[in-house]
Amino acid sequence: LSTLFIVSLMLGASSLLRAQDADSTELVAFRMLARSAPDSVVLRWGLDSYPAWKSAGRAGFVVERAEIRGDANNPQPFTWTRLTPTPVRPFTIEDWRMRFPPEDSLAGAAVQALHGQAVVTSGDPFGSIVELHMQQQNLMGFALLLADLRADLAAGLGLRYVDRDVQPGKGYIYRVFVATPIPDFPLDTVTAIAITKPAAPLPAIASLYAEEGEKQVVLKWDRYEHLERSYGGYMIEQSTDGGNTFFPRSDIPFMPVTPEGEDALPIVEYNIRLERNYQSVWYRIRGLTAFGELSPPGPAVLAMGRDRTAPKQPAILPYEIVNETSVQLRWELRGAPDADLDGFLIAKSVSPDGPYDPVSDLLPTGARSYVDADVQNLPAHYYVVSAVDTAGNSRMSAPILALFPDSIPPAIPSGLHAEIDSSGVLRLAWAPNTEADLQGYRVFYANDPTHEFQQLTTKITTDTVFVDTLTLKTLSEEIYYKLTALDYNFNHSPFTEALMVEKPDIV
């Protein structure tokens, strides 16, 4: 309910005005809440228009009460009793001086919100109107925030009344209206029902958790953890002595604001910027109601900023073949090494896109070369070097392909055969080669076995099936195919024998 006061009222503007009846008379949004105890009932109200709030404050608010008698089968008519012989009005500046000490900064802020004047800087007439409206709405929004924060400020702003002349267990209905009608800002009468019994305890926020980042901690919790109450504001508390004593991070509560026209996000986030990493702090959250009440603190979480910055990227250099089973990798760092550099890791993969498997332990920070002595030259491998810091952050170099000298081509593919249908779709297939360093195949064709064969595949074919589509409206009755296999060193096998395929005769 406090979200009603802070979000909808603070962000509300003249567009929130609603129609009263068929004659389209505009009403300013006027809302009220009641919170009861066995010996009292607290009323809190608010408006969504700064000019209406100021005009209503000058006129004053009248509070009336009626006891709820009878039951649903035998309701009794209401007898209204006026509780405010003098209408409720905001404090004058002199009242503020008498009731609050000069060092009370929040009271000073409330005086400024109540009696301060908006300053227009735009020279454009239309722009000045918009600017004035926005400043006035901000003043009113800040006043509503302060009224939520402290009961004495809500009373000073003319937005609160406490009825102490009640009997436990009784039901009451309250209504509040402006003492003198305001022609420019007609306000409807607002009502609220209260039963004088012990109020339910405010629920603690138990869903708090923290995400640790580079010199920052992001606190998150479930806005709707307690469906019976959604707090409109929160006090963020912290402890730097191991959780023994907590203190607010700010005198001003954190008020998550939802842009107009959008739904409130279910997870609330509060970002804390830190001067340094690795300083543990305990955090906890307390919910704030529209009556200035704070919920009990929920469970605290321990969090700190952590190093999330990866070290400089290593630049991998050309490799060297040491022997038939070893390859030497070298790398360099451009500029001075990071102060928190912890070492280097070497990893390899059969694909440039990975995944990469480590082949070394963490190498010292001064290492600039590594010999992989357990190399099988088939298939070829891609290597990367990763710089790792003391926080576990890493940055990987670009991959490099390490190839051993190899002049032995794959075997000639076998089993080449073809099938063709009446529409000209031809399917070539063959038996797979068994070489460990096989990269794939290339397919060639010609319309005459004595002609030079042309490559049909623009990319290396890794499958043992290839589909070609032929044009049948030609005078040539046959087409010929050859196949070659190649390894990772791009050694090509000899061609297969030319395979002749007869085209369907449709001419």
Side-chain angles (χ1 to χ4, degrees):
L1 289 176
S2 57
T3 303
L4 171 66
F5 281 102
I6 297 303
V7 178
S8 65
L9 294 183
M10 185 174 179
L11 294 181
S14 57
S15 60
L16 294 179
L17 301 181
R18 56 185 175 83
Q20 181 182 16
D21 48 37
D23 62 4
S24 299
T25 301
E26 297 293 337
L27 279 178
V28 174
F30 186 21
R31 302 286 187 267
M32 181 172 68
L33 299 174
R35 182 160 174 81
S36 59
D39 60 348
S40 63
V41 173
V42 181
L43 304 177
R44 270 277 284 114
W45 57 83
L47 298 82
D48 75 340
S49 166
Y50 175 86
W53 172 50
K54 297 289 286 186
S55 299
R58 287 189 292 269
F61 297 95
V62 175
V63 181
E64 293 183 345
R65 181 193 69 198
E67 184 178 344
I68 301 175
R69 302 176 183 273
D71 52 35
N73 297 322
N74 184 30
Q76 301 296 316
F78 292 139
T79 301
W80 292 99
T81 302
R82 183 163 179 167
L83 303 180
T84 53
T86 301
V88 177
R89 294 185 176 90
F91 291 171
T92 65
I93 294 179
E94 187 59 31
D95 291 333
W96 287 97
R97 289 197 183 102
M98 293 174 58
R99 297 170 183 260
F100 297 90
E103 61 272 15
D104 191 336
S105 59
L106 291 183
V111 174
Q112 181 62 31
L114 179 61
H115 297 288
Q117 299 297 321
V119 179
V120 176
T121 60
S122 174
D124 175 58
F126 179 77
S128 63
I129 294 174
V130 174
E131 184 181 2
L132 177 63
H133 171 75
M134 293 303 297
Q135 289 193 33
Q136 290 177 342
Q137 291 298 108
N138 289 337
L139 287 172
M140 183 193 65
F142 194 59
L144 291 170
L145 184 152
L146 294 170
D148 276 7
L149 183 59
R150 279 172 40 184
D152 56 349
L153 300 182
L157 292 165
L159 301 174
R160 175 186 172 97
Y161 178 81
V162 181
D163 180 14
R164 302 189 185 280
D165 184 21
V166 296
Q167 298 181 29
K170 294 284 188 177
Y172 298 96
I173 182 169
Y174 292 87
R175 66 184 183 188
V176 175
F177 53 90
V178 179
T180 304
I182 308 171
D184 293 335
F185 303 103
L187 295 175
D188 204 352
T189 299
V190 291
T191 59
I193 295 176
I195 300 176
T196 50
K197 63 180 182 179
L202 297 176
I205 299 171
S207 57
L208 176 66
Y209 63 98
E211 292 183 356
E212 300 171 323
E214 178 75 39
K215 292 184 179 180
Q216 74 169 355
V217 168
V218 181
L219 302 179
K220 297 185 177 183
W221 61 94
D222 184 358
R223 185 191 300 265
Y224 305 110
E225 175 183 351
H226 305 286
L227 297 179
E228 72 276 10
R229 178 174 296 277
S230 175
Y231 294 112
Y234 304 89
M235 295 299 294
I236 315 298
E237 299 180 341
Q238 68 181 37
S239 171
T240 55
D241 61 357
N244 295 318
T245 57
F246 282 83
F247 57 90
R249 285 182 47 82
S250 172
D251 293 335
I252 303 298
F254 170 58
M255 318 294 289
V257 177
T258 302
E260 187 176 355
E262 298 184 13
D263 294 331
L265 296 177
I267 300 299
V268 182
E269 297 187 8
Y270 180 79
N271 197 327
I272 302 173
R273 296 291 180 181
L274 305 172
E275 293 185 358
R276 56 184 64 88
N277 292 321
Y278 301 109
Q279 287 189 335
S280 298
V281 176
W282 286 94
Y283 298 98
R284 69 186 189 186
I285 307 295
R286 303 179 72 178
L288 179 66
T289 73
F291 299 93
E293 300 169 307
L294 283 174
S295 73
V301 297
L302 183 64
M304 69 178 78
R306 294 184 181 272
D307 179 11
R308 303 297 188 191
T309 303
K312 294 185 180 70
Q313 183 183 36
I316 196 165
L317 302 174
Y319 67 93
E320 295 181 5
I321 300 298
V322 178
N323 53 44
E324 64 275 6
T325 61
S326 302
V327 60
Q328 183 180 44
L329 303 170
R330 297 183 299 114
W331 63 91
E332 64 181 11
L333 287 177
R334 295 182 174 88
D338 296 274
D340 61 345
L341 181 66
D342 199 29
F344 300 93
L345 282 174
I346 312 300
K348 66 181 178 181
S349 172
V350 296
S351 168
D353 299 324
Y356 284 87
D357 298 318
V359 297
S360 74
D361 296 326
L362 186 66
L363 304 176
T365 59
R368 294 296 182 270
S369 66
Y370 176 79
V371 174
D372 184 9
D374 185 22
V375 178
Q376 298 177 357
N377 70 330
L378 306 175
H381 289 290
Y382 291 87
Y383 286 91
V384 294
V385 179
S386 294
V388 183
D389 65 17
T390 55
N393 303 303
S394 64
R395 193 184 298 271
M396 190 173 66
S397 71
I400 187 173
L401 176 63
L403 292 173
F404 278 76
D406 176 18
S407 59
I408 301 175
I412 301 173
S414 61
L416 180 63
H417 61 282
E419 297 176 355
I420 188 170
D421 61 20
S422 59
S423 64
V425 177
L426 179 143
R427 182 179 181 272
L428 290 173
W430 58 92
N433 282 42
T434 59
E435 291 83 3
D437 64 340
L438 181 74
Q439 185 176 182
Y441 307 89
R442 297 187 191 275
V443 180
F444 294 77
Y445 80 99
N447 290 317
D448 188 289
T450 62
H451 293 171
E452 181 178 354
F453 278 70
Q454 304 294 318
Q455 183 174 324
L456 184 60
T457 51
T458 58
K459 295 182 179 180
I460 297 173
T461 299
T462 57
D463 199 359
T464 57
V465 175
F466 182 79
V467 177
D468 191 14
T469 301
L470 305 180
T471 300
L472 301 182
K473 294 182 179 181
T474 63
L475 297 179
S476 57
E477 297 179 355
E478 299 101 9
I479 189 170
Y480 297 83
Y481 291 94
K482 288 184 178 181
L483 190 65
T484 181
L486 67 158
D487 60 21
Y488 281 100
N489 280 289
F490 291 91
N491 297 308
H492 286 70
S493 73
F495 285 110
T496 61
E497 293 291 331
L499 173 68
M500 188 269 290
V501 179
E502 291 187 358
K503 298 179 183 180
D505 186 2
I506 63 170
V507 179

